[in-house]
């Protein structure tokens, strides 16, 4: 079981992902914006962040860069419906450990988290 910070700006997607994550993992925090994600990562010290890329304000890529700079050990799983090589490259450059394309299944999410955390 790992501690997860869930970063998603839509209520329905947050609820779906929370359902996917529990009871296998503990959701230690939830954020709707990149700025909130940075604060919550500092406050909760998660093992992994499930990070939407398309967020209001600071996007998920820049939030990931800031989080990884402060805590390089935290794993970040990026999630987005935008599938381009440029986005993947930017996410990787920011420190993302894994990448999921929406929509994805519970099994895909859990397997990706395990892989990103080295389990």
């Amino acid at each position: 079981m790992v501690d997860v910070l869930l970063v998603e700006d839509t209520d329905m997607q947050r609820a779906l992902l929370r359902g996917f994550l529990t009871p296998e993992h503990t959701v230690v925090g939830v954020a709707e914006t990149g700025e909130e994600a940075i604060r919550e990562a500092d406050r909760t010290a998660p093992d992994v962040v499930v990070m939407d890329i398309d967020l209001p304000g600071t996007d998920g890529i820049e939030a990931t860069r800031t989080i990884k700079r402060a805590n390089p050990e935290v794993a970040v799983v990026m999630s987005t419906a935008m599938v381009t090589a440029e986005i993947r490259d930017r996410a990787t450059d920011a420190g993302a450990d894994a990448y999921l394309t929406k929509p994805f299944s519970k099994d895909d999410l859990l397997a990706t988290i395990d892989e990103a955390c080295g389990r």
Side-chain angles (χ1 to χ4, degrees):
M1 187 174 276
V2 298
D3 291 342
V4 179
L5 170 59
L6 177 57
V7 185
E8 173 59 54
D9 64 331
T10 62
D11 293 336
M12 186 164 44
Q13 190 71 10
R14 267 194 317 277
L16 176 69
L17 293 178
R18 185 183 287 270
F20 281 0
L21 290 166
T22 56
E24 287 85 353
H25 300 299
T26 303
V27 177
V28 294
V30 176
E32 297 180 26
T33 69
E35 292 85 358
E36 287 177 7
I38 294 164
R39 285 192 301 272
E40 282 297 296
D42 186 49
R43 185 184 72 78
T44 63
D47 300 309
V48 64
V49 179
V50 176
M51 176 80 74
D52 186 20
I53 289 179
D54 189 22
L55 297 170
T58 301
D59 69 18
I61 293 173
E62 288 308 312
T64 294
R65 188 179 318 281
T66 301
I67 290 167
K68 292 290 272 193
R69 202 174 302 131
N71 185 0
E73 295 81 30
V74 69
V76 177
V77 174
M78 304 297 290
S79 71
T80 187
M82 298 180 290
V83 184
T84 68
E86 178 189 354
I87 298 271
R88 282 182 189 260
D89 290 346
R90 287 183 55 223
T92 301
D93 289 346
D97 299 282
Y99 189 93
L100 281 168
T101 303
K102 294 177 185 176
F104 49 82
S105 70
K106 176 180 180 174
D107 290 341
D108 290 339
L109 176 61
L110 296 177
T112 303
I113 287 172
D114 286 347
E115 182 181 316
C117 291
R119 298 176 57 190

